């Protein structure tokens, strides 16, 4: 299952009914019940029989696991070796068994083989849903993925509108200054000077907008933090991607506007005005 063993040992073949009972606990158990010392070698009482709780020795510490969903924090878990299960606990175990099978050939064809194998051992055992782990993980993430898909769609639409608005504002601003550019060219301004002016003003416009946008985004990320898993709400990569996209749009808008400005005939521009 990929649950890491952080300290102590795992179960071995010798952990059977002929040897003292042992248990592996999660870090939550270790933190809650043994905050000031190592739990390895300590004994706890396990109430898994119809009689009095039985003492077991802690031999290992495993990493925490979110058993239900990603929203619920990991709880205290203990792991018992199957060979040391008491007899009066077997009926409960029989009715609550989940098997995890690792296969190198993929999930295709494993279900039929699994059902036939179990039926050959005991035909009275009912086999529930058999599915690959990828489907189990996808089911746990389905609601969150749908929510994030909607949020991502709105974000993409907002990014497109921002890019279109940025291009329109820069282009319109340069177009409104055709007469000024014509005067500058008539007075001897070079094309390099005009290009510098256009890109400088575009950079100021873009810089102000990107700072304001990032500030607002950082303030609002806490509202979507609960929907994220494995990604920080202040993920620098996401902010960097948006910034790069908008900077490219701004650069293209300035370039197209500058190209138009370079084709302005000062005489025609002044005559029209």
């Amino acid at each position: 299952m990929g649950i890491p063993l952080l300290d102590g040992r795992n179960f071995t073949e010798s952990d059977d009914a002929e040897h003292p009972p042992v248990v592996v606990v999660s870090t939550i158990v270790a933190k809650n019940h043994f905050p000031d010392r190592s739990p390895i070698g300590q004994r706890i009482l396990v109430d898994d029989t119809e009689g009095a709780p039985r003492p077991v020795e802690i031999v290992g510490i495993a990493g925490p696991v979110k058993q239900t969903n990603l929203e619920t924090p990991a709880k205290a878990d203990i792991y018992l070796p199957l060979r040391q299960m008491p007899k009066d606990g077997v009926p409960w175990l029989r009715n609550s068994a989940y098997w995890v099978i690792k296969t190198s050939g993929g999930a295709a064809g494993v279900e039929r083989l699994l059902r036939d194998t179990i039926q050959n051992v005991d035909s009275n055992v009912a086999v529930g849903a058999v599915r690959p782990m990828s489907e189990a993980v996808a089911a746990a993430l389905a609601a969150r993925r749908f929510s994030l898909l909607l949020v991502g769609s709105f974000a993409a639409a907002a990014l497109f509108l921002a890019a279109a608005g940025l291009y329109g504002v820069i282009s319109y601003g340069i177009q409104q200054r055709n007469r000024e550019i014509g005067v500058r060219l008539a007075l001897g301004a070079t094309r390099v000077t005009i290009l510098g002016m256009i890109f400088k003003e575009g950079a100021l416009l873009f810089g102000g907008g990107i700072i304001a946008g990032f500030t607002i985004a950082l303030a609002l990320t806490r509202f979507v933090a609960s929907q994220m898993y494995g990604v920080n709400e202040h993920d620098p990569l996401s902010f960097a991607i948006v910034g790069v996209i908008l900077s490219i749009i701004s650069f293209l808008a300035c370039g197209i506007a500058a190209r138009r400005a370079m084709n302005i005939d000062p005489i025609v521009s002044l005559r029209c005005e």
Side-chain angles (χ1 to χ4, degrees):
M1 294 295 295
I3 304 173
L5 183 68
L6 304 178
D7 196 7
R9 68 172 179 86
N10 211 328
F11 299 133
T12 64
E13 294 293 333
S14 63
D15 294 323
D16 54 22
E18 304 299 327
H19 292 81
V22 296
V23 65
V24 173
V25 301
S26 68
T27 54
I28 308 299
V29 175
K31 181 186 299 183
N32 292 342
H33 299 281
F34 306 95
D36 56 347
R37 63 188 187 277
S38 173
I40 303 298
Q42 303 294 329
R43 291 182 176 273
I44 59 175
L45 296 177
V46 177
D47 189 8
D48 60 348
T49 66
E50 296 179 357
R54 60 190 182 97
V56 295
E57 179 183 350
I58 299 176
V59 297
I61 303 176
V65 177
K66 294 186 176 183
Q67 301 284 1
T68 306
N69 51 55
L70 297 176
E71 288 78 14
T72 304
K75 297 182 179 180
D77 296 318
I78 62 173
Y79 302 90
L80 302 167
L82 185 62
R83 295 172 182 267
Q84 292 185 344
M85 284 296 298
K87 292 183 178 180
D88 53 359
V90 172
W92 169 84
L93 179 63
R94 182 187 298 122
N95 296 325
S96 306
Y98 293 86
W99 291 76
V100 179
I101 299 176
K102 186 176 182 179
T103 173
S104 59
V110 175
E111 180 177 356
R112 183 71 265 169
L113 176 62
L114 175 62
R115 292 182 183 274
D116 292 343
T117 302
I118 294 177
Q119 292 297 315
N120 290 335
V121 176
D122 189 345
S123 60
N124 295 322
V125 175
V127 181
V130 180
R131 57 179 177 171
M133 185 60 69
S134 58
E135 290 186 8
V137 174
L141 297 174
R144 179 175 296 185
R145 281 179 172 170
F146 179 73
S147 299
L148 290 182
L149 178 62
L150 291 179
V151 174
S153 300
F154 291 134
L159 182 60
F160 173 79
L161 292 176
L166 182 63
Y167 173 79
V169 168
I170 293 177
S171 297
Y172 180 75
I174 299 302
Q175 184 178 3
Q176 292 297 106
R177 301 179 63 181
N178 281 350
R179 184 173 183 275
E180 176 189 346
I181 294 174
V183 171
R184 288 176 178 270
L185 291 174
L187 293 177
T190 63
R191 295 183 181 272
V192 175
T193 303
I194 300 299
L195 286 175
M197 180 191 69
I198 293 174
F199 277 97
K200 179 181 178 180
E201 294 183 359
L204 291 175
L205 180 64
F206 167 75
I210 206 72
I211 292 174
F214 280 174
T215 302
I216 297 174
L218 288 172
L220 296 179
T221 48
R222 58 190 179 92
F223 294 106
V224 297
S226 61
Q227 297 296 318
M228 297 181 178
Y229 176 72
V231 179
N232 189 284
E233 61 268 23
H234 299 148
D235 180 34
L237 179 61
S238 301
F239 285 93
I241 292 175
V242 172
V244 169
I245 292 176
L246 291 179
S247 63
I248 292 175
I249 296 297
S250 177
F251 180 80
L252 291 176
C254 290
I256 294 174
R259 183 179 179 183
R260 292 177 178 175
M262 294 300 96
N263 294 328
I264 295 177
D265 188 341
I267 298 178
V268 174
S269 177
L270 295 176
R271 184 182 301 166
C272 293
E273 294 292 337

